[in-house]
Each structure stands twice: as structure tokens, then as C-alpha cells.
Amino acid sequence: MSKAIDLALVDEAGTFYVSERKVYPRDVSGRFAHLRIAAVFWLLGMFYLFPWARWDGRQAVLFDLPARKFHVFGLTFWPQDFLFLALLLILAGVALFFFTAIAGRLWCGYACPQTVWTEVFLWIERAIEGDRGARMKLDAAPWTPRKIVRKGAKHIAWIVFALWTGFTFVGFFTPITDLAARVVPFRWGGWEIFWVLFYAFATWGNAGFLREQVCKYMCPYARFQGAMFDRDTLLIAYDPMRGEPRGPRRRGLQSVLERARGLIPLDIAADYVRRSALNPTTANANLQARGTITFESGEVAPLPKFEPAELGDCIDCTMCVQVCPTGIDIRNGLQYECIACGACVDACDEVMGKMGFPKGLIRYTTQHAVDGKNTRVLRPRVFLYGGILLAMLIAFAVGIASRAPFTVEALRDRNALYRTTADGVENTYTLKIANKRDEARHFAVTLVSGTEGLVLRESPTIEVPGGEVASVPITVFAPSASVAGRKDLRFEVSALDGEKRTTQIVESTFFGPVSR
């Protein structure tokens, strides 16, 4: 049962809605930053260049909705191939589960469109307004001509990039060369204008303003990641046994891995993390790192002042918090806001290098490894997800390779079941032959039936242009005395072109007079 909230608590809290604090990620360099940059160029390169690529004289990737055909390089998908689209979506879902079980939030950190476009918008923002400190100072300053120029230049650059994104998005559904040719003089249609502006506005808003809030509040993936994670899943973690107790010190002190102190027990390290989080230093308090880690309430004594020899390897520089795009403190533990981008790993490794300490205080690892236990990469859920993914990939590949080069549909005349003539009975049909190949093909139609006397009035050779659907009227005749009531038949349509003769069979019925 739900419990009513005491009004006194509501009055005491004042409001249940708290405005989001803006996050100012600091620029960082390192192996994972380079990997993210490579992912951005690769993914956006595909997005912005694929519509311009040509394949067999047409746009390589074009989702032609009016013609109901999707062109993906050498493949053309028709409405009859909707099964493959459904299978592809299921494949993507299973792949997400599989890679998450092995490598955690790999998608979020490197390939999610929200991450990729936000990264580009941050590059533009840093180029115009400066890095973290300069942006914070600019936002806090009063409005001056300098601030207006910098803010205006940033938003102009954002809007131009967003409009280019919207234009490219529409270019996947309308031939992009034709769309570009109709810019000057401007002759776009109403829907083209709407979708360019809508997608541009969504890009500008999500990557420029919402940013981490999309990941934290709008994306469902972070909410159900707990169902896909276990203690052997790769994640970003801080090593508290090595890092605690944290605190500043002069250079020259060796790492705990190189001196007598060594690693402290896990329970003591966890207590140090809790006390540090509930009694933050001034530097940590100013960062206002927010996350979903909650500690037991009550009086918690702050950490005492430790001698340099007692300190762990964390110097409490807060760089891991400053570079985080979602503004959390990874030292408090795994939080659903963490997108596993590795920025805190790069920042910490750089600090460890300057201090002369071994890298890896914050690293990609597993919870079992942090707890000092063995990690199993191959485990039941990995085999299960991998087996399902492999089977579906094989089914998808076989289905694509064995697709029929043409489809046939038989439609009866809706005006009359049959028509009587001087010499017999006729039924009229319309054969719709869809040629899925790019070149014209010729087809022959034959009639097969267990009823004697059923014949085609004409059996012409039908030419269907490449990528087109031909509607062919067909008349089946039978003498009046030989047919009464409903009879089954089938049309066999054979392709006459190509080395291998391909035949499609479509079932139908023939109706004649019913004697009473």
C-alpha cells in the first residue's frame, strides 16, 4: 500500500523539485579520450558522409518512404522485408545485453548519439569560451559586450552545426543532392523544412543544454542496467584499499604499493570513503558532486588528520570529479549516472604519473577484482546472450542471402466473382509482380490446377523494370459445363532472366456458377 506523505515533511522540505546544477567538464587527454575522439569521428563520419556516397548510380543509403523502398548500399528492402527490420531491432537489443554483460556501458561512453553530439558541442564551447575555469567565470560574470559576443558566437556555431545535422538527417529520406540543389533558390517542401528544423532543435537542445540530464532522467538504459550487470561486468571503479585515506601531500612519497603500508582492509577503506563523502573537504564541497550513492544517516565523525606515511595514493585533487561529464564522484562507488566514458581514468592516470605513482587507482575493472577475488569473463549469461546473438546473426544473414529476387501477389476482381460468356466462364485477376533487382526482368505466367478445363486466355511474357511493381491483368477461362462452384488454382510466375530460373507460386481460387 502507498503511504501518504506527512504535510509537515512537505512544509519542512519546501519543495520536491531542485534545479539542476550545470556541469562544467574539464578537458582531459589520455588513451580513453583518444578512443572517444576516434569514435566521434568514425560515427559522425558515417552519419554525415553516407548520404553523399553513391552506389550503382544512386544514393548509397536512402530510406525512400514514398516509394516504400530502403536502399542500403547494394541491398534494397521492400515492405515485404519488414521481418528483417524487426529482426534487426531484436539483434540490436540482444547485442546491447551481450556487450553490457562483458564490457559494461560501452555503448553509453563511446557510441550513444547523446554522448557523441555532446562531445562535439563541448569542443565548440571550449574553443570559444575556454576550458572549465574560464567557462565558470564567464557564466558568473555580469553581461558585458565580451560575454555577449562569446555566448552569441557559441550559439551561432551550435545552431549551424545543428542545422547541418538536421539537413543530413532529412537527406537520408530525401535524395540529398536534390535537397541541396533546392536550397538556392529555396524550394523545400513543408515537411522537409519541419524535419530539418525539428531535428536541428533537438540536437541543439539535447547536446547544448540537457546533456547529462538526458542520460540521468530520460534514457531508460541507465535504469535497467542493474539487470544486466553482475560482479564480473567490466566497469569503472576506484580502488579504496589503495587510495584511502585520501589527502594532499608533497611529492616524493612512494605509492602504497611500494612502501610498507600496503593495501588496507576493504571494510576500513569503505568506512573512510563513507566518512569522506559525508564530511567533504572545502574543495570537494565546492564541486557539489551529485550521485545516487546514499550512506546511512546519523552522526559520522570526520576523518582524523593522517601522517603522510599513513595516506593512500589518492591526493584528493578532485580531478576525477572535474572531468566527469555527469558531475559525479566515482570514488563514492558505482552510480547509474556513470556512462563509463573513462574520463576520470585518464585524469587520475595523469595525476598518478605526475606523483610518480603506478597508474590504475581509478580503472576499468570488475567488482570482484576490486574485492580481491577472481574475475570470470566466460559465465552463463555471456554464453546465453552470445548464443542467442550468434543464432540471430546467422538467421539474419541467411535470410538476406536467400531473399526472393521478386514477389508476386494475386488479387481477384472485386466487382464480380465470375463473368459468363457465350462459350464459358471467366474470372479476372490482377498479378502484382515486384522486381527487387535493379535491372529489368522478364517473367512468364503459367496456371496450375487440379480442375480440368481451366486455362489462361493469354500467357504473355511480362517485362518489369528494375525496382518497379507491375500490375498485370490475367483472365482464367473455363467451359460452363466443366466448372461449378469454388475451385483452387495457383499461378506460377517464373523469371526468364539469369542463370538460374526462379519461380514464385501464389495460391488463388476460381468461381463458377452454382447449380441449385
Side-chain angles (χ1 to χ4, degrees):
M1 293 179 63
S2 61
K3 183 180 178 181
I5 300 176
D6 194 337
L7 288 177
L9 296 177
V10 178
D11 293 337
E12 183 180 347
T15 179
F16 291 124
Y17 299 95
V18 179
S19 60
E20 278 292 316
R21 173 185 54 86
K22 185 176 180 179
V23 177
Y24 299 87
R26 182 188 290 272
D27 193 18
V28 63
S29 179
R31 49 182 174 158
F32 296 112
H34 296 153
L35 187 59
R36 285 197 308 279
I37 293 172
V40 168
F41 275 95
W42 176 43
L43 295 171
L44 290 189
M46 291 192 298
F47 177 80
Y48 290 110
L49 296 179
F50 275 4
W52 296 98
R54 309 295 296 176
W55 191 282
D56 290 339
R58 56 170 170 78
Q59 188 169 315
V61 181
L62 177 63
F63 306 122
D64 193 348
L65 296 180
R68 296 186 297 174
K69 289 185 287 187
F70 288 1
H71 302 287
V72 182
F73 295 99
L75 299 174
T76 299
F77 294 92
W78 294 63
Q80 296 88 342
D81 299 320
F82 181 80
L83 174 65
F84 294 107
L85 175 60
L87 187 59
L88 186 63
L89 294 175
I90 298 172
L91 263 172
V94 175
L96 185 64
F97 273 73
F98 175 70
F99 289 111
T100 299
I102 295 177
R105 297 180 67 172
L106 190 68
W107 164 262
C108 294
Y110 298 92
C112 174
Q114 178 65 22
T115 300
V116 171
W117 264 276
T118 298
E119 193 76 20
V120 175
F121 271 56
L122 277 172
W123 293 346
I124 296 173
E125 188 173 67
R126 290 192 186 106
I128 296 174
E129 295 185 359
D131 203 4
R132 172 185 163 85
R135 299 200 306 274
M136 294 175 69
K137 185 177 180 181
L138 183 66
D139 282 354
W143 285 96
T144 61
R146 175 181 175 275
K147 182 174 180 177
I148 293 174
V149 168
R150 286 188 176 272
K151 290 289 184 181
K154 179 186 74 173
H155 282 283
I156 289 173
W158 279 0
I159 291 171
V160 169
F161 188 77
L163 287 172
W164 181 30
T165 301
F167 169 80
T168 304
F169 173 78
V170 173
F172 280 98
F173 299 90
T174 297
I176 198 166
T177 52
D178 174 64
L179 191 66
R182 288 186 283 116
V183 173
V184 179
F186 191 76
R187 299 191 307 274
W188 286 2
W191 283 112
E192 291 168 335
I193 297 172
F194 170 79
W195 283 111
V196 168
L197 294 179
F198 177 83
Y199 206 81
F201 178 76
T203 303
W204 178 66
N206 287 340
F209 297 94
L210 295 179
R211 292 185 178 174
E212 76 285 347
Q213 297 177 51
V214 173
C215 306
K216 292 165 65 174
Y217 304 120
M218 300 170 65
C219 178
Y221 178 50
R223 301 291 178 171
F224 62 75
Q225 67 173 336
M228 298 182 284
F229 274 41
D230 58 26
R231 301 184 77 82
D232 290 306
T233 299
L234 194 66
L235 49 83
I236 293 180
Y238 164 70
D239 188 350
M241 295 185 291
R242 175 187 163 188
E244 298 298 324
R246 66 192 71 164
R249 83 291 309 272
R250 294 181 179 179
R251 293 186 186 182
L253 184 68
Q254 290 183 314
S255 167
V256 298
L257 301 176
E258 302 167 336
R259 50 189 164 97
R261 202 216 76 161
L263 302 179
I264 61 176
L266 182 59
D267 57 340
I268 297 177
D271 180 64
Y272 286 164
V273 169
R274 173 172 172 265
R275 293 164 70 179
S276 297
L278 296 177
N279 297 278
T281 61
T282 302
N284 279 281
N286 290 338
L287 289 174
Q288 297 179 351
R290 293 181 180 177
T292 50
I293 294 295
T294 56
F295 299 95
E296 295 180 8
S297 59
E299 289 274 340
V300 177
L303 289 174
K305 184 174 178 62
F306 292 94
E307 294 296 326
E310 299 175 304
L311 291 173
D313 282 355
C314 177
I315 65 172
D316 205 17
C317 63
T318 71
M319 288 297 296
C320 57
V321 182
Q322 296 181 41
V323 300
C324 179
T326 59
I328 63 171
D329 190 342
I330 195 63
R331 295 173 297 178
N332 291 340
L334 179 64
Q335 297 146 78
Y336 84 79
E337 295 95 338
C338 176
I339 61 172
C341 64
C344 55
V345 179
D346 287 333
C348 188
D349 282 350
E350 183 178 356
V351 172
M352 292 295 104
K354 292 179 180 178
M355 295 298 296
F357 296 168
K359 298 178 180 180
L361 178 60
I362 300 175
R363 62 186 183 273
Y364 276 98
T365 183
T366 66
Q367 193 60 51
H368 271 157
V370 172
D371 296 342
K373 301 177 182 178
N374 293 327
T375 296
R376 293 184 307 156
V377 176
L378 301 178
R379 49 198 192 277
R381 70 169 58 196
V382 172
F383 284 113
L384 176 63
Y385 297 153
I388 295 174
L389 181 61
L390 180 61
M392 295 186 69
L393 279 171
I394 293 174
F396 185 79
V398 171
I400 291 294
S402 59
R403 282 191 312 160
F406 66 94
T407 60
V408 182
E409 184 181 5
L411 304 177
R412 287 186 51 84
D413 184 2
R414 297 180 180 180
N415 295 321
L417 286 178
Y418 60 89
R419 183 171 61 253
T420 57
T421 63
D423 55 349
V425 179
E426 291 181 345
N427 280 200
T428 304
Y429 307 81
T430 299
L431 290 184
K432 289 186 174 292
I433 304 176
N435 181 12
K436 295 184 177 181
R437 296 288 177 83
D438 292 331
E439 64 277 359
R441 304 193 73 183
H442 295 82
F443 300 91
V445 182
T446 57
L447 177 68
V448 178
S449 176
T451 303
E452 293 185 4
L454 292 179
V455 295
L456 289 174
R457 280 290 192 190
E458 294 181 357
S459 183
T461 298
I462 304 164
E463 181 180 356
V464 182
E468 299 292 337
V469 179
S471 296
V472 183
I474 296 290
T475 301
V476 178
F477 169 80
S480 300
S482 63
V483 176
R486 181 176 181 267
K487 304 297 180 181
D488 293 330
L489 57 81
R490 68 174 184 264
F491 298 103
E492 293 186 354
V493 181
S494 302
L496 304 178
D497 308 291
E499 299 177 357
K500 184 178 179 181
R501 187 182 177 99
T502 307
T503 301
Q504 294 288 327
I505 300 174
V506 58
E507 305 284 346
S508 190
T509 54
F510 184 93
F511 287 93
V514 179
S515 58
R516 296 181 180 180

